Structure formats: C-alpha cells, structure tokens
C-alpha cells in the first residue's frame, strides 16, 4: 500500500495552481471537484507513489526484502488509483454540498483504498487477488485511518494542510 499512501501527502505538499476541473461548475451550480484538486498535486503525487514503488521493486530484487511482489504496473495502478479515488470522493462531496476541505468522515480516510483497489482489480486482477488476502485487507482497513489521521495532523502542524483531517 505504500505506493498508494504516498500520493496524498505529496499532493498536499506540492499541490496548487490550475484546478483539475478548470474552475468549472457542474450542472448543480457547484464546482465539479473544487480548488483542492490540482494538476500539480495529481502529477507530483502519482510520480512520488510510482517512485517509491520502484524503490520497493529494487529492494526486493537487490536485497531480497520480504515485500509483496510489485511490478511497474501494480505500483502505477496503486498510486494513480489513490488519487483518482480522492478525486471521486471530492466529486461526490461537492454534489452533497460539502465545501472544499470540509470533513467527510470515513470517505476522507478510505477514498484512496477504494481507488487503489478498483484500479488494480480492473487492470491487474492477478496481482490484486495474490496480494490482497483477507488478513492483508483487514490490516489495511485498520492501518489506513490511523495513518491518515496522524499524517494529516502532522501536515496541519507544519502548516501544509489547512485542516487537521
Ligand atoms: N491536492 C492537490 N491536488 C490533488 C489532491 C490534493 O493539489 N489532486 C492538495 C490541495 O492543495 C488540497 C490538499 O492537497 O487542498 C489536501 O488534499 P485534500 O484534503 O484531499 O483536499 P481538500 O482541500 O480537503 O478538498 P476536498 O474537500 O475536495 O477533499
Ligand atoms: Mg481534505
């Protein structure tokens, strides 16, 4: 999950500039995604996730670290899926009338898991079902909200994030 966990904090660090929705509104008169989703955040986040995945592949190949077998495809799907999940969540948030940055418990924590799982299941199901076994799934469901909250509080302290969630 590391290639899926990295993109969000990196997007928060380097995000800004042109919003992915180009400031356009949806049919309901509200923003499609909002100013919290930018091209710079998306690109830097995905690149960082893929980069960390390549390091994992290198550690397994060179030092025989006992990590799940990643491939360039799996790390790309995990990193891209994490931020697509985040965008999907923002899209639904805006439809529900929630402002950018407003907390949406559960969805804010698990959006990246849903996105990363969806992309890997669709485009690399063999990898998904070999790696994401029931105990792994349970571990992910337990670890993700704890990690999410901790990193966001840290981001709030160092003034990278406007809200501690
Ligand atoms: N970010 C970005 N591009 C992305 C994702 C995130 O630039 N694709 C940056 C934005 O600066 C954003 C910050 O990371 O404000 C934190 O991300 P997140 O909490 O997901 O966004 P919110 O601002 O809370 O917006 P939303 O309510 O839509 O989730
Ligand atoms: Mg947020």
């Amino acid at each position: 999950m590391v290639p899926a966990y990295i993109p969000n904090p990196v997007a928060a660090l380097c995000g800004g500039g042109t919003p992915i929705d180009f400031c356009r509104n949806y049919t309901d008169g509200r923003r499609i995604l909002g100013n919290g989703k930018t091209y710079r955040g998306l690109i830097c986040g995905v690149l960082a996730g893929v980069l960390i995945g390549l390091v994992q592949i290198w550690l397994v190949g060179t030092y025989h670290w006992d990590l799940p077998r990643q491939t360039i495809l799996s790390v790309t799907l995990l990193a891209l899926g994490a931020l697509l999940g985040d965008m999907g969540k923002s899209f639904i948030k805006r439809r529900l009338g929630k402002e950018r940055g407003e907390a949406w418990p559960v969805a804010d924590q698990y959006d990246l898991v849903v996105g990363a799982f969806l992309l890997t299941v669709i485009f690399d199901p063999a990898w998904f079902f070999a790696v994401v076994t029931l105990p792994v799934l349970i571990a992910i469901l337990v670890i993700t909200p704890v990690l999410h909250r901790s990193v966001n509080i840290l981001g709030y302290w160092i003034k990278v994030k406007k809200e501690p969630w």
Side-chain angles (χ1 to χ4, degrees), residues 48-107:
V50 171
L51 200 69
I52 209 86
L54 294 179
V55 171
Q56 288 186 316
I57 294 172
W58 174 71
L59 287 173
V60 171
T62 309
Y63 297 103
H64 308 286
W65 278 34
D66 190 17
L67 295 172
R69 300 270 142 190
Q70 298 281 18
T71 61
I72 293 178
L73 177 66
S74 71
V75 301
T76 307
L77 294 172
L78 288 171
L80 185 63
L83 286 187
L84 288 183
D86 177 52
M87 283 166 60
K89 175 209 64 185
S90 289
F91 177 78
I92 302 170
K93 250 172 130 171
R94 300 297 90 83
R95 305 290 71 74
L96 295 174
K98 291 185 190 293
E99 298 299 331
R100 172 228 176 142
E102 212 178 309
W104 188 17
V106 185

Side-chain angles (χ1 to χ4, degrees), residues 93 101 161 163 165:
K93 250 172 130 171
K161 280 210 64 157
E163 308 86 13
W165 50 75

Side-chain angles (χ1 to χ4, degrees), residues 114-158:
V114 172
F117 279 12
L118 263 181
L119 274 208
T120 46
V121 141
I122 294 171
F123 296 104
D124 198 354
W127 183 89
F128 180 84
F129 291 109
V131 174
V132 187
T133 53
L134 189 62
V136 170
L137 175 68
I138 293 169
I140 290 171
L141 293 183
V142 172
I143 293 167
T144 302
V146 178
L147 208 57
H148 188 273
R149 188 84 179 120
S150 319
V151 172
N152 280 333
I153 290 174
L154 182 71
Y156 180 71
W157 280 346
I158 63 170

